[in-house]
Amino acid sequence: MVASEAAPFAKTGGLADVLGGLPPALAKQGEEVVVVMPRYGSVDIPDAERIWHVLPVVAGPHSYTVSIDQVVHGGVRYMFVDCPPLYGRPGIYSEAGLDYPDNHIRFAVLNLAAIGIARQIFRPDVFHGHDWPAGLIGPYLKEMFAADPTFVASKVVLTIHNLGYQGNFSGGILNDLGFDATVFHSEGLEFWGQISFLKAGIVWADAITTVSPTYAKEIQTPEFGFGMDGLLRARAGKIHGILNGADYGSWDPAVDTYLPENFSAANRSGKLAVKRALLQEVGLPQNDARPVIGIVSRFANQKGFDLVAAVANEIAQMDVTVVALGSGEPDYEDLFRGLAHQHPDKFASYIGYNEGLAHRIVAGSDMFLMPSRYEPCGLSQIYSLRYGTVPIVRATGGLEDSVDETTGFKFDDFTPEALLGSVNAALKAWREKKGWDARVQAGMAKDFSWNVAAVKYKELYANLLK
């Protein structure tokens, strides 16, 4: 597997969680997995062992000598490409809000180094790239190394975690990548006059996966296709939607060390204690009879917070408490700050990130709100189900696939009215207690572990290699 980040080593979002959870689950299924990623200067890996000292990498006119360091984690070898001129920086993709101008070279070298590792250290049957930073694996293998017998039977899988991030660069970088003009056309690297790493990954992949079945369909439509829907429709037979898994080792109310009291599906009495502790922690009135709606999210337009802004005044008039944790776009940070200031008895907000508080919000809330415009998979709704916290979600992507009428509340139209309707339906069900306990129990019984996803990936690999 080739990726730009993997938990617990380097993380900016859900991509890292996948690379931290899926490979060990595949290893438990009997697969031998190596994950290749950069060794960033900002990441301390004291137990890394240098297993290859000199590995030359050439990208067009650029030559680098990289070293390979290794850590074994969860039964998986994580190999780090050590190249200080490219990766010895404070950020992963950017610094001070600006993308590194040589990102195209940085991730081209990652792809080429992975191919070097495959030649010298670990001979894989399948190269599995994740998102645009690994998008050049396919064209490098099938164009530049087409005559190399090492790779004659190799298959390439690309996973699209979020189609909105495409790795698009000026067409002038073609030489930097080591390609000639024969691949710069509409059926190759070219995308509206630019070079797209993600498009390259799609075009040259033997199989394409997305992080949920519904998202696999959505990205083939103009609404969710980000200009690539036609390309993806033409490859519909290669696209497979596999729902991401959850790390129940970290997210399980029975063992969660961030909670003041643990609980389980068999004995939920501790959940009320967590709710009380949460309200005290965020400075809201102790009121067991008032439901708590939790939000833990990036504050971004994708997440549907423009809908929340449109109905915030109506929610403030309801007998409900809202606890929000997150950071992101300034307008939405200001929205939650303002609501906490205007309605200190109803709203609490924490701008930033706090892992412990995130766990306590998921555990101590009665409902969890995710009104996303689009959501390739989403994990928070999966966590909330395990914690007996009923999700209120928009029916899109992984939210559609992981929440049903027996476990939560969904709305289809991306409108303030539809969101408000779902919130009202959830509050009515909570107050009437009608079926609420059954809904909570059904959610806690769901299994969205990585083991389930790993079986599907293993089947995909086996079918490719037939």
Side-chain angles (χ1 to χ4, degrees):
M1 291 195 182
V2 185
S4 53
E5 52 186 273
F9 307 107
K11 175 177 175 177
T12 65
L15 170 63
D17 292 327
V18 174
L19 272 296
L22 176 58
L26 281 166
K28 288 178 184 175
Q29 295 290 331
E31 297 292 319
E32 189 178 0
V33 187
V34 165
V35 176
V36 179
M37 62 179 289
R39 181 162 190 169
Y40 299 108
S42 57
V43 179
D44 186 27
I45 316 171
D47 53 345
E49 174 194 2
R50 179 142 297 179
I51 61 169
W52 202 270
H53 290 267
V54 178
L55 183 68
V57 176
V58 179
H62 309 283
S63 296
Y64 298 92
T65 299
V66 308
S67 302
I68 307 301
D69 300 330
Q70 176 176 282
V71 172
V72 179
H73 176 74
V76 172
R77 286 186 282 169
Y78 287 80
M79 295 188 187
F80 300 88
V81 179
D82 189 25
C83 184
L86 294 179
Y87 309 126
R89 306 175 188 180
I92 292 179
Y93 311 102
S94 61
E95 198 173 322
L98 296 173
D99 286 348
Y100 291 122
D102 60 347
N103 269 347
H104 62 291
I105 298 174
R106 297 173 74 231
F107 292 109
V109 167
L110 172 66
N111 287 246
L112 289 164
I115 292 171
I117 287 170
R119 182 185 258 146
Q120 304 288 354
I121 305 172
F122 173 75
R123 188 71 56 84
D125 298 306
V126 175
F127 287 84
H128 187 161
H130 293 265
D131 267 354
W132 73 262
L136 296 187
I137 283 284
Y140 278 145
L141 282 175
K142 297 182 181 184
E143 302 295 331
M144 208 170 284
F145 294 92
D148 190 328
T150 308
F151 307 116
V152 68
S154 298
K155 299 297 182 182
V156 179
V157 176
L158 174 75
T159 294
I160 300 171
H161 296 259
N162 188 332
L163 191 66
Y165 299 96
Q166 300 178 340
N168 297 335
F169 300 92
S170 160
I173 69 162
L174 193 66
N175 186 52
D176 274 345
L177 303 180
F179 292 111
D180 60 36
T182 59
V183 296
F184 187 69
H185 53 80
S186 61
E187 296 299 314
L189 293 175
E190 189 268 336
F191 183 62
W192 299 105
Q194 296 183 298
I195 286 174
S196 173
F197 277 44
L198 186 64
K199 183 185 178 186
I202 292 168
V203 168
W204 275 275
D206 296 297
I208 301 158
T209 73
T210 69
V211 291
S212 72
T214 294
Y215 193 57
K217 299 172 187 172
E218 289 178 340
I219 60 174
Q220 298 177 56
T221 68
E223 182 182 358
F224 298 98
F226 288 94
M228 292 190 177
D229 50 292
L231 172 73
L232 289 160
R233 284 195 299 275
R235 287 160 176 78
K238 292 184 177 183
I239 300 175
H240 309 265
I242 301 175
L243 190 69
N244 274 352
D247 178 6
Y248 289 137
S250 300
W251 289 90
D252 183 344
V255 297
D256 193 330
T257 56
Y258 289 112
L259 306 186
E261 194 167 320
N262 293 112
F263 59 93
S264 66
N267 182 0
R268 301 205 317 268
S269 60
K271 185 170 174 66
L272 182 58
V274 180
K275 176 178 177 176
R276 290 169 177 167
L278 172 66
L279 291 171
Q280 183 175 15
E281 180 177 359
V282 299
L284 287 168
Q286 295 281 322
N287 185 346
D288 295 347
R290 177 184 283 176
V292 175
I293 297 177
I295 296 171
V296 179
S297 179
R298 261 188 314 117
F299 290 162
N301 200 46
Q302 176 207 328
K303 301 297 184 178
F305 290 116
D306 47 338
L307 298 187
V308 176
V311 300
N313 288 332
E314 286 92 333
I315 292 175
Q317 304 309 312
M318 299 175 182
D319 190 24
V320 66
T321 294
V322 178
V323 181
L325 164 65
S327 63
E329 295 172 18
D331 286 352
Y332 296 129
E333 290 186 359
D334 290 344
L335 167 69
F336 286 106
R337 281 195 195 96
L339 289 169
H341 178 73
Q342 295 161 24
H343 308 282
D345 61 328
K346 295 281 189 74
F347 287 86
S349 66
Y350 183 106
I351 307 302
Y353 195 71
N354 180 319
E355 183 74 15
L357 180 57
H359 282 246
R360 290 186 288 277
I361 291 173
V362 170
S365 299
D366 299 290
M367 303 152 202
F368 195 89
L369 181 61
M370 293 180 72
S372 303
R373 178 175 266 102
Y374 72 96
E375 193 67 57
C377 176
L379 288 172
S380 293
Q381 83 283 5
I382 292 174
Y383 299 151
S384 72
L385 288 167
R386 177 53 63 106
Y387 283 71
T389 302
V390 173
I392 304 170
V393 303
R394 172 140 189 267
T396 183
L399 303 178
E400 166 71 5
D401 294 325
S402 56
V403 179
D404 59 39
E405 64 279 356
T406 70
T407 59
F409 296 86
K410 294 193 287 192
F411 61 99
D412 292 303
D413 296 335
F414 190 76
T415 64
E417 295 76 19
L419 166 59
L420 204 57
S422 264
V423 170
N424 276 319
L427 295 179
K428 182 181 179 186
W430 189 85
R431 291 205 173 86
E432 292 179 354
K433 306 301 179 192
K434 186 179 179 181
W436 190 264
D437 191 64
R439 196 181 296 270
V440 169
Q441 289 284 7
M444 296 185 82
K446 293 286 186 181
D447 182 7
F448 293 108
S449 67
W450 273 115
N451 295 331
V452 176
V455 169
K456 294 179 180 178
Y457 276 107
K458 184 173 180 175
E459 289 173 355
L460 174 64
Y461 301 149
N463 287 333
L464 279 179
L465 294 169
K466 282 180 180 175

